[in-house]
Structures are given as C-alpha cells and as structure tokens.
Amino acid sequence: MRPGHDRTPVHAPGWLPGVGAVSYGGDYNPEQWPEEVWAEDVALMRDAGVNLVSIGIFSWGLLEPSEGVYDFGWLDRVIELLHANGIRVDLGTPTASPPAWFFDAYPHTRVVSRDGTVLGFGSRGLVCPSSAEYRRAATAIATQLARRYGRHPALALWHVHNEYGVPVSEDYSATSAAAFRTWLQERYGSLDALNAVWGTAFWGQVYRSWDHVGVPALAPSVVNPAHRLDFARFTDDALLACFVAERDAIRAESPGIPITTNFMAGACHSTDLWRWAAEVDVVSNDHYLTAADPRGHVGLAMAADLTRSFAGGKPWILMEHSTSGVNWQERNVAKRPGEMARNALSHLGRGADAILFFQWRASRSGAEKFHSAMLPHAGTGSRVFREVRELGAGLAGLDEVLGSRVEADVAILWDQQSFWAQDLEWRPSVDARHRERVDAFYDRLWRDGITVDFAHPEHDLSRYKLVLAPASYLLTARAAENLTAYVAQGGTLLTSFFSGIVDEHDRVHTGPHLSVLRDALGVTVEEFLPLRAGERVHVALAPETGAEVPDEGHEGTQPPAPVVADVWADDLTLAGAEVVGTYTDGPAAGRPAITRHRHGAGTGWYLSTRPDADGLARVLRRVYRDAGVTPAGLPEDVEVVRRRGAEADFVVVANHTDKPVDLGLSGVDLLTGETAEPGRGALTVAGGGVRVVRTPRA
Ligand code: GAL
C-alpha cells in the first residue's frame, strides 16, 4: 500500500476523516466480476497507489433482490477486503438505478418525457423524483446501508446517488404534475399571484382552478416561459429533496462521515449547484474532456474552477474523470501519453484534494465496456496502467498540498437560473448563447494566465478586482443592486450584451433595457439590433489614455484596426458613460458599441456586441488595466495555477504543447524531487509534461 493515506489524520470539518494524503482511486464495481478477481484487483490497487474507491453506486438490484429483502453478503466481503488492504471506501447509495422489481411494482414512477413518451427500463436513472414510492424506497436502502456500514473504519465518505439530473431530469408524468401544483401553491399562495407573475393575461392563459395548472408539456406553440422556468426550479427542488432525504437518513446512522453527491459542474443543466453545494458536506465533481475540442484542457480548467467556486474555495473531490477515451461521445479520442497526468494535476492545481476515475477495471459487459479504465482490457502491461501507477506514485508525494487554497482576483458570474431562462424559445437571436459567451470570456482569461472564480450575482463580490458578466440575462433587482454596490465600492464590472433584461419571472425589467444597471454602467439600451447569420460589424476603439502598451490593433502610424464583431448590436443611450468603441458600420453605425463609466470608486464597462477572440482580448486588456489585473504572459497552451498553503505555495504547471518550456521556475518539484535554487537554473517543463513545484509563499 502507498504510505501516507492515514499518516497524518486530518479531522478538519468537511474533509474525509483520517485522510492525510491526496486520495487516489476510482469507481470500483467488483459485482461485475467473479470473486476470484477481487484479490487481484486489490493487489493491483495497492501497486498503483490506490487508497480510496467508490463502491456500490449501481448495485440496488443486487443489494435488494426484492422489496425489503436485502443481500449484503458480497458487499460485506468487498469492504472487508478493501479494509484489510488499507483502502478506504466511498460508499455509494444505489438509488440512481432502481431495480426491475421497483418499476414493476410502481409503474407510474416511470419518467414521462416532454413529448409524452413513457421511458422504459433497461438503463439507469429513470425515475420520477417526486414519487413518494421512490423516495421511500431510496431512503430505505440508504438507511440499511448506513446502519450496516455507517461506523465501519474503512468508510471515508458517502456518495449519494449518481449525477442527479442526468440522463433525464424533467419528468412530465401525472405524479410530477400533482407535485408541481403543490410546489406552486406553496410558492405563490393563490392563483391570482400565480397569474400575475406568469403574466397569464398574455394569450388568455389565465388559470381559475389549480387543477388546470399542468406541467409545461409540448404544446402547439411556445409555452409560457415563466411556467417553464418555474418547472425547471421545481425539478431542481425535487431532485435536491431526494438527495436531502437520503443524506438525512444516512446522517442519523453514520455520524462524522461526510456525505457528497457527484456534481457535473457546467455539464448538467438541470441542477443549480450553488444550492446543492450548500447541502453537501464536501463538494465532488465528475469531469470528462470534450474529445472534439483539441483544447479540451481549457474546458477542464473551467469545470474545476466552477467546482472550487461551488465549494466556496474549499478543497473538493474529483470524483470521476477518465484515464483515456470515454464511450459516449461521437468520436471517443484516446488520451495521449502524459495527458492523463496533466488532466489530473490540473484539477489538483485548481483545488481538488482527491483524484478519482471512472472506473478501476474496464467492464466486459454492458453499455460502458469501451470506456477506458485504470486497469484497461489490455491489462497491467499497458501504457495506461503504467501511467496510472506513475500518477499514484506522484500523488503520494503531495501530502503537504492538502488543504491549500487557490485565490482569484477575478470572478465570472454564473447563475443557472438565468441560463434556464435564456435557453427558452423566442429570444431575439438564436446566436446569443449564454454558454458560448461564458466559454469565450473564460478562454481569454485562461490564455492570459489569470485564475478565475465563478460567483453568483447575489454573492459578496468585494474580494474581486474584476467581475465579468458575459451572460446575465435574468438579473434580479437584488443582484443588480449588488453589482451596482460592488462598482460603487471600487470594483470593475464588465457586462456583455443581453444582460440585466428580465427579473426572476422572466418579466422584462421596466424602462429601457439595462435600466437596472444604469447607475453602474451609465448606459441603457433603446433597442436590440441582432445581426443576420454571418453578418459582421466593426468597432473603432478610442485611443487609450495613459496605456503603457498601445492597443495591439495599432500598427505603425496607422490608426488601430477596428474590432470585428458579429451576432449582436444595441442602440445605446448614454447616461453618463464615455464611449470607448463606436460602430463604424451595421445597424448602429456611428453609435456607441463599448462604454466605460465611473461610478463611485469603481468602473462599469458595457460591451454591446460579440467581438472575435482578438477583439475580446483587446477590450479585456483595457478592462484589466482599470481593475489592476495583470496577465501572466505565459507561452501559448501552458497552464500555471497556484495553491497557497500555510507555509509554502504549490505551483502546478501543465505544458499542453509538445515543446519544453522554461518559465524560470525555482523550488522543488514534489512529483520528482528535482530542485532548482532561485537564481541557479530553473525547472523546465517537458513537452506534454506537468510539475507540482513547492515555492516560498508569494
Ligand atoms: C459518468 C457516470 C459514470 C460513468 C461515466 C463514464 O457520467 O457517473 O457512472 O457512466 O460517466 O461514462
């Protein structure tokens, strides 16, 4: 066994009891294999440095062969085997995959999709989250597991369910419809109030009986967006209530053991993870690269930053990622040598204190047999297994990184409820996509080597020098006040187009668009001017005053090249802001495109169009200057992120290029022990390589 896992017991609230090293392992599904394979599994786990495995996640049908009849024998033996070998257990509750008998007994708990299709058995994750029978059965199996194993010394963590919200979240069954009505009654009290906030006078949708209020199933035309938005909230609440019910049942039987459920930060649209993070003891996340994207490591970094932000900056668990290709994308590109370690350590650099995979041993049968694993079909002689062992050995040297924190000066606003609203039909342009804007802003900050947190628009933002709002379509009055106060108190805010448009019921804020941010931004929108597909506009930037480095579009004595943009323009009305960029063509030719406004001690920027990547870089450089934020000046595709410990900093450098880089790094590489004294050589990072360097506190 890899030493260290229990060496320095850490009992900090919220972290895994008795764990003083980086956790390493993955989902372990021994029930898919004859028992004689288990001993080999555990021996190989020890060889690979595995010290934590997630078990039982999909085993309801094995643990409870018929309702109320339990068979824990095999799980007892698995847990004892792991315990005897010093491997800690993350015990799953199997409630993401109810057994066949459950659907046979309670057929009305099957999920009905928006078009009315009743979804069948033979997969996983297909149950109505509002069904009383499901909640009762799920809580019962969770209670049984907690009673039996809740005080077992091998137990480090509870893993409730699996990825709430996928593969389906919204359920349009009669059971959900009844629960939705109750939810609405609790929220609004009266039909009058419901009719008012949903604006049902429009198209004469007015309700005069609660019995008439249904789920927003497919209808002849667009369904009332406020109705759909509330159904998204109801669904999230129903899923969260399932989690809370299991959590509370476990807590009663298993004191002191933290409880989590694995999120899919940024990848699952039906869960508002700010709310979920408040309910778990420790945040955990699953992340898979988008194989079609050759720069998928940027999406990885964003998911990790999002997860850390949901965790409130505390360490979190990377519950799943892959050693190589997955099996559910269109083209499941295999990871190349070194990529797995770069991915794993990039998560660690962004705050993960546990590095786990799906899964330990590749499955022979079932839907995921072509998914990579720590122990692939090719066995122990494979490249993947060699790299798994190397990574395990490397992580064993990182005990001192545990608990250190990532600090960011910049935040990007992230509000799932705004995204739900913006994604509904009949918006001004299909090309105005919230996720595309968030990704574009994040990508620029990643390239500039600037570490980013995500924040909810109603959070305290005062610790950030710069706040970016790439897609804040739904902005409550409270959030608008918060952003305005943030600017007044000295912050720099950049707001992108189609933000601050509606309230929490998808009702347009009164007055010209952007009125809720008028004080902060010094501008309002008289009219949206969306562009045709492929249409481009140009924005001339005003000369910069006091800039040490001239705008990059400036060549020789020529005026700077205009910024090229598409998708959107606005007809703006200035309310005190200065004009930084002016449309030279398109529907707003001659009118302001980019504005800057001093408000109190801070500055509010507004960007009324979608600049291309180069244009966004140029605009952001000016915004950074206002905010006092400095780009790191890194070579392309080299990632650097810093964790701050009590006595030292830990700098993770991942080189996503195939050429070595020299960043003048000094310190000790904790993965290899290599050292470079300050001023005497440097730790270069090989092409495709990664280092975790201990340096004095910055
Ligand atoms: C995750 C899921 C795992 C496994 C994995 C690989 O989303 O939680 O159970 O399916 O994907 O496909």
Short mmCIF file of all heavy atoms in Angstrom, two decimals, residues 27 29 57-58 124 159 162-163 166 262 264 286-288 320-322 326-328 358-359 367-368 371-372, ligand 1:
data_model
loop_
_atom_site.label_atom_id
_atom_site.label_comp_id
_atom_site.label_asym_id
_atom_site.label_seq_id
_atom_site.Cartn_x
_atom_site.Cartn_y
_atom_site.Cartn_z
N ASP A 27 -14.19 4.59 -9.25
CA ASP A 27 -15.36 3.71 -9.10
C ASP A 27 -14.86 2.27 -9.20
O ASP A 27 -14.10 1.92 -10.11
CB ASP A 27 -16.36 3.92 -10.24
CG ASP A 27 -17.21 5.18 -10.07
OD1 ASP A 27 -16.79 6.09 -9.34
OD2 ASP A 27 -18.29 5.24 -10.69
N ASN A 29 -16.35 -1.61 -9.30
CA ASN A 29 -17.58 -2.38 -9.48
C ASN A 29 -17.29 -3.88 -9.43
O ASN A 29 -17.46 -4.59 -10.43
CB ASN A 29 -18.23 -1.99 -10.82
CG ASN A 29 -18.63 -0.53 -10.82
OD1 ASN A 29 -19.42 -0.08 -9.99
ND2 ASN A 29 -18.09 0.25 -11.75
N ILE A 57 -22.34 1.88 -6.33
CA ILE A 57 -23.12 3.00 -6.88
C ILE A 57 -24.34 2.54 -7.68
O ILE A 57 -25.37 3.19 -7.65
CB ILE A 57 -22.20 3.91 -7.74
CG1 ILE A 57 -21.10 4.50 -6.85
CG2 ILE A 57 -23.00 5.05 -8.38
CD1 ILE A 57 -20.04 5.27 -7.58
N PHE A 58 -24.20 1.43 -8.39
CA PHE A 58 -25.34 0.99 -9.22
C PHE A 58 -25.83 -0.40 -8.81
O PHE A 58 -26.30 -1.16 -9.64
CB PHE A 58 -24.95 1.01 -10.70
CG PHE A 58 -24.68 2.40 -11.20
CD1 PHE A 58 -23.38 2.83 -11.43
CD2 PHE A 58 -25.71 3.30 -11.41
CE1 PHE A 58 -23.13 4.12 -11.87
CE2 PHE A 58 -25.47 4.59 -11.84
CZ PHE A 58 -24.17 5.01 -12.07
N ARG A 124 -30.48 3.25 -16.78
CA ARG A 124 -30.35 3.74 -15.40
C ARG A 124 -30.96 5.13 -15.32
O ARG A 124 -31.24 5.75 -16.33
CB ARG A 124 -28.88 3.78 -14.97
CG ARG A 124 -28.05 4.75 -15.79
CD ARG A 124 -26.64 4.93 -15.25
NE ARG A 124 -25.81 5.66 -16.21
CZ ARG A 124 -24.53 5.94 -16.02
NH1 ARG A 124 -23.91 5.54 -14.94
NH2 ARG A 124 -23.86 6.60 -16.93
N HIS A 159 -21.46 8.55 -0.80
CA HIS A 159 -21.66 9.01 -2.19
C HIS A 159 -23.12 8.74 -2.50
O HIS A 159 -23.50 7.62 -2.84
CB HIS A 159 -20.71 8.17 -3.05
CG HIS A 159 -20.72 8.39 -4.52
ND1 HIS A 159 -21.84 8.30 -5.32
CD2 HIS A 159 -19.70 8.66 -5.37
CE1 HIS A 159 -21.50 8.50 -6.58
NE2 HIS A 159 -20.21 8.72 -6.64
N ASN A 162 -26.06 9.13 -8.03
CA ASN A 162 -25.01 9.40 -9.01
C ASN A 162 -25.50 10.44 -9.99
O ASN A 162 -26.51 10.23 -10.67
CB ASN A 162 -24.65 8.12 -9.78
CG ASN A 162 -23.38 8.28 -10.60
OD1 ASN A 162 -22.29 8.40 -10.04
ND2 ASN A 162 -23.52 8.32 -11.91
N GLU A 163 -24.80 11.57 -10.02
CA GLU A 163 -25.07 12.61 -11.02
C GLU A 163 -26.57 12.93 -11.13
O GLU A 163 -27.19 12.71 -12.19
CB GLU A 163 -24.50 12.22 -12.38
CG GLU A 163 -22.98 12.13 -12.37
CD GLU A 163 -22.39 11.80 -13.73
OE1 GLU A 163 -23.12 11.28 -14.60
OE2 GLU A 163 -21.19 12.07 -13.92
N VAL A 166 -29.10 13.75 -14.55
CA VAL A 166 -28.87 13.04 -15.82
C VAL A 166 -29.19 11.57 -15.60
O VAL A 166 -29.09 11.09 -14.47
CB VAL A 166 -27.41 13.17 -16.30
CG1 VAL A 166 -27.09 14.59 -16.68
CG2 VAL A 166 -26.43 12.64 -15.28
N ASN A 262 -22.05 13.36 -6.53
CA ASN A 262 -21.14 13.85 -7.57
C ASN A 262 -21.86 14.80 -8.53
O ASN A 262 -22.81 14.43 -9.19
CB ASN A 262 -20.45 12.70 -8.32
CG ASN A 262 -21.38 11.55 -8.69
OD1 ASN A 262 -22.48 11.42 -8.17
ND2 ASN A 262 -20.94 10.73 -9.61
N MET A 264 -21.91 17.55 -11.83
CA MET A 264 -21.33 17.64 -13.18
C MET A 264 -21.27 19.13 -13.49
O MET A 264 -22.07 19.66 -14.26
CB MET A 264 -22.22 16.95 -14.21
CG MET A 264 -22.47 15.50 -13.88
SD MET A 264 -23.66 14.83 -15.04
CE MET A 264 -22.62 14.67 -16.49
N ASP A 286 -17.59 15.34 -11.34
CA ASP A 286 -17.16 14.46 -12.43
C ASP A 286 -16.80 15.33 -13.62
O ASP A 286 -17.54 16.27 -13.93
CB ASP A 286 -18.30 13.52 -12.85
CG ASP A 286 -18.72 12.58 -11.72
OD1 ASP A 286 -18.03 12.52 -10.70
OD2 ASP A 286 -19.77 11.91 -11.89
N HIS A 287 -15.71 15.00 -14.28
CA HIS A 287 -15.40 15.78 -15.48
C HIS A 287 -14.85 14.89 -16.59
O HIS A 287 -13.96 14.06 -16.36
CB HIS A 287 -14.36 16.88 -15.21
CG HIS A 287 -14.08 17.65 -16.46
ND1 HIS A 287 -13.01 17.36 -17.27
CD2 HIS A 287 -14.79 18.62 -17.07
CE1 HIS A 287 -13.06 18.15 -18.33
NE2 HIS A 287 -14.12 18.92 -18.24
N TYR A 288 -15.38 15.09 -17.77
CA TYR A 288 -14.89 14.37 -18.95
C TYR A 288 -14.54 15.39 -20.03
O TYR A 288 -15.30 16.33 -20.26
CB TYR A 288 -15.94 13.37 -19.45
CG TYR A 288 -16.09 12.25 -18.42
CD1 TYR A 288 -17.07 12.30 -17.44
CD2 TYR A 288 -15.19 11.20 -18.41
CE1 TYR A 288 -17.15 11.32 -16.47
CE2 TYR A 288 -15.26 10.21 -17.44
CZ TYR A 288 -16.25 10.27 -16.47
OH TYR A 288 -16.31 9.31 -15.51
N GLU A 320 -14.80 11.67 -10.62
CA GLU A 320 -14.60 10.85 -11.82
C GLU A 320 -13.89 11.69 -12.88
O GLU A 320 -14.22 12.86 -13.06
CB GLU A 320 -15.95 10.45 -12.45
CG GLU A 320 -16.79 9.51 -11.66
CD GLU A 320 -18.10 9.20 -12.40
OE1 GLU A 320 -18.16 9.35 -13.64
OE2 GLU A 320 -19.07 8.84 -11.72
N HIS A 321 -12.95 11.10 -13.55
CA HIS A 321 -12.52 11.53 -14.88
C HIS A 321 -12.02 10.27 -15.57
O HIS A 321 -12.23 9.18 -15.04
CB HIS A 321 -11.56 12.71 -14.85
CG HIS A 321 -10.17 12.48 -14.33
ND1 HIS A 321 -9.89 11.70 -13.22
CD2 HIS A 321 -8.97 12.93 -14.77
CE1 HIS A 321 -8.58 11.71 -13.01
NE2 HIS A 321 -8.00 12.44 -13.94
N SER A 322 -11.44 10.40 -16.75
CA SER A 322 -11.11 9.16 -17.47
C SER A 322 -9.61 9.05 -17.64
O SER A 322 -8.90 10.05 -17.76
CB SER A 322 -11.79 9.14 -18.84
OG SER A 322 -11.23 10.13 -19.66
N VAL A 326 -13.54 8.09 -23.54
CA VAL A 326 -14.82 7.67 -22.97
C VAL A 326 -15.55 6.85 -24.04
O VAL A 326 -14.96 6.45 -25.04
CB VAL A 326 -15.65 8.89 -22.48
CG1 VAL A 326 -14.87 9.63 -21.40
CG2 VAL A 326 -16.04 9.81 -23.62
N ASN A 327 -16.82 6.57 -23.82
CA ASN A 327 -17.52 5.70 -24.77
C ASN A 327 -18.85 6.30 -25.23
O ASN A 327 -19.61 5.64 -25.90
CB ASN A 327 -17.82 4.35 -24.11
CG ASN A 327 -18.76 4.52 -22.94
OD1 ASN A 327 -18.52 5.35 -22.07
ND2 ASN A 327 -19.84 3.78 -22.91
N TRP A 328 -19.10 7.57 -24.86
CA TRP A 328 -20.44 8.10 -25.13
C TRP A 328 -20.41 9.35 -26.00
O TRP A 328 -21.45 9.94 -26.24
CB TRP A 328 -21.18 8.37 -23.82
CG TRP A 328 -20.32 8.98 -22.75
CD1 TRP A 328 -19.63 8.31 -21.79
CD2 TRP A 328 -20.02 10.37 -22.58
NE1 TRP A 328 -18.92 9.19 -21.00
CE2 TRP A 328 -19.15 10.46 -21.46
CE3 TRP A 328 -20.39 11.54 -23.24
CZ2 TRP A 328 -18.64 11.67 -21.00
CZ3 TRP A 328 -19.89 12.75 -22.79
CH2 TRP A 328 -19.03 12.81 -21.68
N PHE A 358 -13.49 7.16 -13.30
CA PHE A 358 -14.39 6.10 -13.68
C PHE A 358 -13.61 5.28 -14.69
O PHE A 358 -13.28 5.80 -15.75
CB PHE A 358 -15.68 6.62 -14.34
CG PHE A 358 -16.55 5.47 -14.78
CD1 PHE A 358 -17.41 4.88 -13.88
CD2 PHE A 358 -16.44 4.95 -16.06
CE1 PHE A 358 -18.17 3.78 -14.26
CE2 PHE A 358 -17.21 3.85 -16.43
CZ PHE A 358 -18.07 3.28 -15.54
N GLN A 359 -13.34 4.06 -14.43
CA GLN A 359 -13.53 3.26 -13.27
C GLN A 359 -12.26 2.45 -13.04
O GLN A 359 -11.32 2.55 -13.83
CB GLN A 359 -14.72 2.31 -13.48
CG GLN A 359 -14.55 1.36 -14.67
CD GLN A 359 -15.72 0.38 -14.80
OE1 GLN A 359 -16.33 -0.02 -13.84
NE2 GLN A 359 -16.00 -0.03 -16.03
N ALA A 367 -23.16 -1.26 -21.24
CA ALA A 367 -23.09 -0.11 -22.14
C ALA A 367 -21.73 0.59 -22.12
O ALA A 367 -21.44 1.39 -23.00
CB ALA A 367 -24.19 0.89 -21.75
N GLU A 368 -20.90 0.31 -21.09
CA GLU A 368 -19.68 1.11 -20.96
C GLU A 368 -18.41 0.30 -21.15
O GLU A 368 -17.36 0.68 -20.64
CB GLU A 368 -19.68 1.81 -19.60
CG GLU A 368 -20.94 2.63 -19.39
CD GLU A 368 -20.70 3.97 -18.76
OE1 GLU A 368 -20.47 4.93 -19.52
OE2 GLU A 368 -20.75 4.05 -17.53
N HIS A 371 -15.39 2.14 -22.43
CA HIS A 371 -14.86 3.27 -21.66
C HIS A 371 -13.50 2.87 -21.09
O HIS A 371 -13.33 1.76 -20.60
CB HIS A 371 -15.84 3.61 -20.53
CG HIS A 371 -15.61 4.97 -19.94
ND1 HIS A 371 -14.54 5.23 -19.11
CD2 HIS A 371 -16.30 6.12 -20.06
CE1 HIS A 371 -14.61 6.51 -18.75
NE2 HIS A 371 -15.66 7.06 -19.31
N SER A 372 -12.55 3.79 -21.12
CA SER A 372 -11.23 3.48 -20.55
C SER A 372 -11.35 3.26 -19.04
O SER A 372 -12.37 3.59 -18.43
CB SER A 372 -10.28 4.65 -20.82
OG SER A 372 -10.81 5.83 -20.24
C1 GAL B 1 -20.35 9.36 -15.62
C2 GAL B 1 -21.12 8.41 -14.72
C3 GAL B 1 -20.41 7.08 -14.58
C4 GAL B 1 -19.98 6.58 -15.93
C5 GAL B 1 -19.10 7.63 -16.55
C6 GAL B 1 -18.44 7.22 -17.83
O1 GAL B 1 -21.13 10.41 -16.06
O2 GAL B 1 -21.28 8.96 -13.44
O3 GAL B 1 -21.25 6.16 -13.95
O4 GAL B 1 -21.10 6.33 -16.69
O5 GAL B 1 -19.86 8.78 -16.76
O6 GAL B 1 -19.26 7.20 -18.93
#
